[in-house]
Amino acid sequence: MAPSLLHPPSQLSPAAALQLSQQAPSVLQNSPSTINSSPLAALLPSSETPDLWIKYENLLLSCLRTGDDHAAHQCLERLVARFGNENVRVMALKGLVKEADSQNNGDLEKVLKEYDQILSDNNTNIPITKRRIALLRSMGRLSDAASSLVHLLGFSPTDAEAWSELADIYLVQGMYQQAIYAMEEVLVLAPNAWNAHSSFANTPCDDQVHARLGEMQYMAATAPGAASGTYEKSMVEALKRFSRSIELCDDYLRGYYGLKLVTKKLLKDAAKPAKDSEEIDFSLPDSKTIERLNELATVKLSEIIRRNTAQERGWRGYDKLEVAAARELLAEEASAAASIER
Amino acid sequence: MTWISKTITVLGGILLAHACYSAQEHSSLQSFRAAAASLTSSSTLTATTLPVDIAIETIVATFIIVLGLVSGTRPLRPIQWRVWAGKLEREGAEGFVDNEGEVNKDYVGNPFKNLEMRPGFVDVRRQRREFAEWVKGGGEK
């Protein structure tokens, strides 16, 4: 199914993005290059629809991604002609095009200075603030980006997107506790977001995986006694979050995948003797519950994989990579079980 | 499925039209007979009611039309959050097509996708790099 121009294109595969940007000439040709924006013209029937501008914006983004700068500039010109240079959204798009055009760090610094200039005139310009943060992150200045984001959230605390970005920035820096905090804020703003529950759950899970790999040495070093406690606490939290995401969304592949991962790990750890468990103020569900959850996840995952692979009607919406990852996880366990039996 | 519902609706319409025509014919016949009766003799006008078969036909026709229309509607959207969300995840855009096979205009996929995509913070330079690498790598899916 061809991707629609009416939806933001950032998550599309390269092939789909290419397909979209190849539509550019026909879209640009089939719509009028200028649209009269005077109030009188609004009385007459015209070809202007809100969809048109969303199309231009998404086309601009796909063209920038695929390197079709000519079409991108054309889209931008039309948007500027309609909405003017002072529109905040158009300003952000202009900045985006400049970022894409810049060849070296000097150009990027210039763009950054322009953003600073715009913000000194109007420091509540949120799209430009976001662009500036994204540019800082893209230039590798993560701590600057994080502090700017915290500042943005200071005056716009209900922006779930910004909280989510903050969580991501903290996560790549390995600051798991801060990332978890930011993700919790996202959940406060969007409590029904099943993917947020899932990615929130991923955070402590990653946390533990990385802790195992020694990437959380700081935490372990500052709190050697609490290390095992935080580990179990995060696992319990992860278990809860994955369960919640499944509760919010039937047959949610990522939720079941995470549930499988966590229960598998917990069952493996259960063999080890637990120490000081009475000091910790959380309760791990008993091993029977965990085993049942594990079984449920296995059953559901294999059902999803089977029906998706058979391309059954109504089961084709899953991401191919996610299905492949789930298959790998199950195969891994199957081979482990076979080796134990032998 | 649609042609069945359309046939049923048309059939009901024909029945209804027939019932209306019968009623009209019946009333004109009655008025003609009343006029003829008043010419020949001065007997009192008998109160005439619609024959019961016409009334039954009208009611049956109405039910058949309603049946046809109801059977022709799209399957209802789920109203439970988790069922709806599960449908989104499981079927993608495919689950939200109308009778013509077009994806509904208001279909947006997972409404919380923005929390992961974050279009306001898009890193266009990295996207360009990745796309260039994809093209260099032969452009497989």
Side-chain angles (χ1 to χ4, degrees):
Chain A
M1 202 174 288
S4 163
L5 262 179
L6 293 174
H7 302 149
S10 2
Q11 209 75 326
L12 292 176
S13 65
L18 186 64
Q19 204 184 340
L20 271 189
S21 73
Q22 277 163 350
Q23 292 176 19
S26 69
V27 170
L28 287 172
Q29 210 167 32
N30 290 340
S31 31
S33 58
T34 53
I35 282 191
N36 194 348
S37 62
S38 77
L40 277 179
L43 295 173
L44 305 169
S46 70
S47 56
E48 180 177 11
T49 53
D51 286 354
L52 181 66
W53 306 112
I54 297 172
K55 261 190 206 170
Y56 277 151
E57 198 181 335
N58 292 334
L59 198 59
L60 171 66
L61 293 173
S62 324
C63 288
L64 281 183
R65 183 168 167 194
T66 54
D68 186 356
D69 291 339
H70 178 67
H73 278 275
Q74 254 180 316
C75 289
L76 183 67
E77 269 166 33
R78 291 185 186 189
L79 284 166
V80 170
R82 173 65 180 83
F83 295 103
N85 276 314
E86 297 305 304
N87 183 295
V88 284
R89 200 153 160 176
V90 170
M91 280 163 115
L93 287 178
K94 273 166 78 180
L96 196 66
V97 172
K98 269 183 208 152
E99 279 176 43
D101 283 345
S102 46
Q103 302 296 331
N104 49 39
N105 251 351
D107 290 347
L108 288 177
E109 291 289 345
K110 228 184 275 170
V111 178
L112 197 63
K113 279 216 181 80
E114 272 174 47
Y115 286 160
D116 285 333
Q117 181 63 37
I118 294 170
L119 288 176
S120 69
D121 293 340
N122 172 14
N123 58 9
T124 57
N125 189 336
I126 288 178
I128 287 290
T129 317
K130 287 188 176 177
R131 282 299 340 135
R132 185 171 165 270
I133 293 162
L135 182 56
L136 283 173
R137 188 179 175 184
S138 165
M139 290 163 76
R141 289 156 64 175
L142 285 178
S143 55
D144 283 351
S147 60
S148 308
L149 247 181
V150 170
H151 179 69
L152 166 69
L153 288 167
F155 67 84
S156 162
T158 53
D159 192 338
E161 187 194 17
W163 278 113
S164 179
E165 177 77 10
L166 184 65
D168 200 40
I169 289 182
Y170 280 142
L171 189 64
V172 294
Q173 288 179 293
M175 298 157 80
Y176 298 108
Q177 292 310 311
Q178 286 87 338
I180 291 169
Y181 178 83
M183 218 54 211
E184 273 172 349
E185 289 290 330
V186 174
L187 279 189
V188 168
L189 295 168
N192 280 347
W194 58 93
N195 54 351
H197 273 283
S198 193
S199 51
F200 173 51
N202 276 334
T203 317
C205 184
D206 277 350
D207 164 352
Q208 287 322 314
V209 173
H210 287 262
R212 283 279 160 116
L213 297 174
E215 285 193 12
M216 290 286 287
Q217 277 164 351
Y218 172 69
M219 214 170 109
T222 49
S228 71
T230 42
Y231 165 69
E232 283 191 24
K233 194 168 171 228
S234 302
M235 289 306 267
V236 171
E237 195 64 27
L239 191 66
K240 275 188 198 162
R241 292 299 159 185
F242 281 125
S243 305
R244 179 71 181 138
S245 78
I246 295 163
E247 202 172 30
L248 283 170
C249 176
D250 285 352
D251 301 320
Y252 186 36
L253 180 56
R254 265 170 67 187
Y256 281 114
Y257 184 89
L259 188 67
K260 176 82 195 157
L261 216 58
V262 172
T263 49
K264 198 171 131 190
K265 210 160 165 50
L266 278 174
L267 286 175
K268 214 201 256 166
D269 292 344
K272 295 175 200 158
K275 47 184 178 182
D276 310 336
S277 53
E278 66 272 9
E279 283 176 23
I280 311 156
D281 56 346
F282 63 86
S283 56
L284 197 67
D286 55 26
S287 56
K288 241 184 212 149
T289 317
I290 298 176
E291 249 166 54
R292 275 176 56 207
L293 282 174
N294 188 13
E295 270 167 33
L296 174 75
T298 314
V299 169
K300 271 290 179 184
L301 278 180
S302 44
E303 186 193 0
I304 291 171
I305 292 169
R306 179 169 51 81
R307 304 186 94 155
N308 183 270
T309 318
Q311 291 287 305
E312 258 178 63
R313 196 174 163 68
W315 293 82
R316 280 177 274 193
Y318 292 109
D319 192 69
K320 281 204 178 64
L321 291 177
E322 285 181 7
V323 173
R327 189 180 295 128
E328 220 164 87
L329 181 74
L330 288 187
E332 208 174 274
E333 197 186 52
S335 66
S339 67
I340 286 170
E341 273 170 28
R342 237 179 278 145
Chain B
M1 277 315 276
T2 51
W3 66 267
I4 295 177
S5 81
K6 272 179 190 155
T7 326
I8 295 174
T9 317
V10 169
L11 192 75
I14 292 170
L15 272 181
L16 189 65
H18 180 256
C20 292
Y21 179 72
S22 310
Q24 201 266 338
E25 283 296 292
H26 177 79
S27 74
S28 66
L29 181 67
Q30 285 304 313
S31 60
F32 173 74
R33 275 171 65 185
S38 68
L39 279 181
T40 50
S41 65
S42 58
S43 66
T44 53
L45 279 173
T46 48
T48 56
T49 52
L50 215 53
V52 71
D53 57 342
I54 296 181
I56 291 174
E57 190 182 13
T58 313
I59 293 168
V60 168
T62 315
F63 275 115
I64 288 176
I65 290 175
V66 169
L67 180 75
L69 291 178
V70 167
S71 64
T73 50
R74 259 181 268 160
L76 300 176
R77 302 258 185 101
I79 55 169
Q80 270 173 308
W81 181 280
R82 59 181 181 82
V83 180
W84 164 78
K87 193 174 154 79
L88 271 182
E89 287 290 331
R90 210 166 40 235
E91 305 183 18
E94 220 175 49
F96 294 84
V97 292
D98 53 19
N99 285 341
E100 278 79 50
E102 296 271 317
V103 177
N104 282 334
K105 274 213 147 173
D106 53 353
Y107 169 78
V108 288
N110 181 349
F112 299 107
K113 223 171 12 188
N114 276 2
L115 293 177
E116 287 172 85
M117 281 164 44
R118 298 185 288 275
F121 293 100
V122 60
D123 185 352
V124 71
R125 289 170 57 236
R126 202 192 62 209
Q127 281 194 345
R128 276 165 89 93
R129 255 198 322 272
E130 282 172 359
F131 186 81
E133 271 165 26
W134 177 76
V135 170
K136 251 186 238 160
E140 312 92 27
K141 282 187 182 175

